[in-house]
Amino acid sequence: MAKLLLNLRNVPDDEADEVRDWLKDSGIEFYETEPSSWGISSGGIWIREDAQIARAKALMAEYQAQRRQRAQADRAAARSDGSAETFASLLRQRPGYVLGVLVAIIGIVALTLALPYLFLR
């Protein structure tokens, strides 16, 4: 019976391509389901054979560890050269957006705290 290896919801294209490549290179048979038209299902990469599931999951864990290390190294490099996005840099680039989001957050929090008080009097 086929088992889901990777749900493709919010997975970047480069990550999905890398997973497909190492599955092919390692000789693990898989198939892919497409996202539904209505957005209910996001698609996935499935392993066909039960015997290959444990191996595929081990390879997936190793791949994710390597990808995490690369992402952390990229983030550290961006911080060291000053190109990492920070709250201050976003505020300078898009002040209207940042202030709008802050006002919305404050409004939601105020409404959340005020409604029980108003309805439970």
Side-chain angles (χ1 to χ4, degrees):
M1 175 177 258
K3 295 277 184 171
L4 180 66
L5 178 68
L6 179 64
N7 184 340
L8 294 176
R9 184 178 309 274
N10 299 324
V11 173
D13 291 336
D14 67 318
E15 182 176 358
D17 291 339
E18 289 175 1
V19 170
R20 288 182 201 103
D21 290 342
W22 63 254
L23 282 170
K24 288 176 189 171
D25 292 344
S26 61
I28 296 175
E29 291 185 32
F30 69 96
Y31 67 94
E32 195 168 338
T33 54
E34 297 296 321
S36 69
S37 302
W38 297 35
I40 296 171
S41 167
S42 57
I45 295 177
W46 298 76
I47 304 301
R48 289 185 189 274
E49 300 293 327
D50 287 341
Q52 295 178 334
I53 291 169
R55 183 168 161 237
K57 286 187 177 188
L59 288 172
M60 186 68 172
E62 180 182 324
Y63 166 75
Q64 287 178 332
Q66 292 172 355
R67 187 166 175 94
R68 180 176 40 254
Q69 288 174 350
R70 280 194 318 244
Q72 289 173 343
D74 292 346
R75 178 73 176 159
R79 281 184 180 167
S80 67
D81 68 11
S83 64
E85 186 173 69
T86 62
F87 179 77
S89 68
L90 186 60
L91 182 61
R92 280 191 300 274
Q93 292 171 1
R94 300 176 63 189
Y97 171 78
V98 172
L99 294 175
V101 168
L102 287 175
V103 166
I105 290 170
I106 291 169
I108 290 170
V109 169
L111 191 62
T112 302
L113 295 174
L115 282 179
Y117 174 76
L118 294 174
F119 287 128
L120 295 176
R121 276 206 230 171

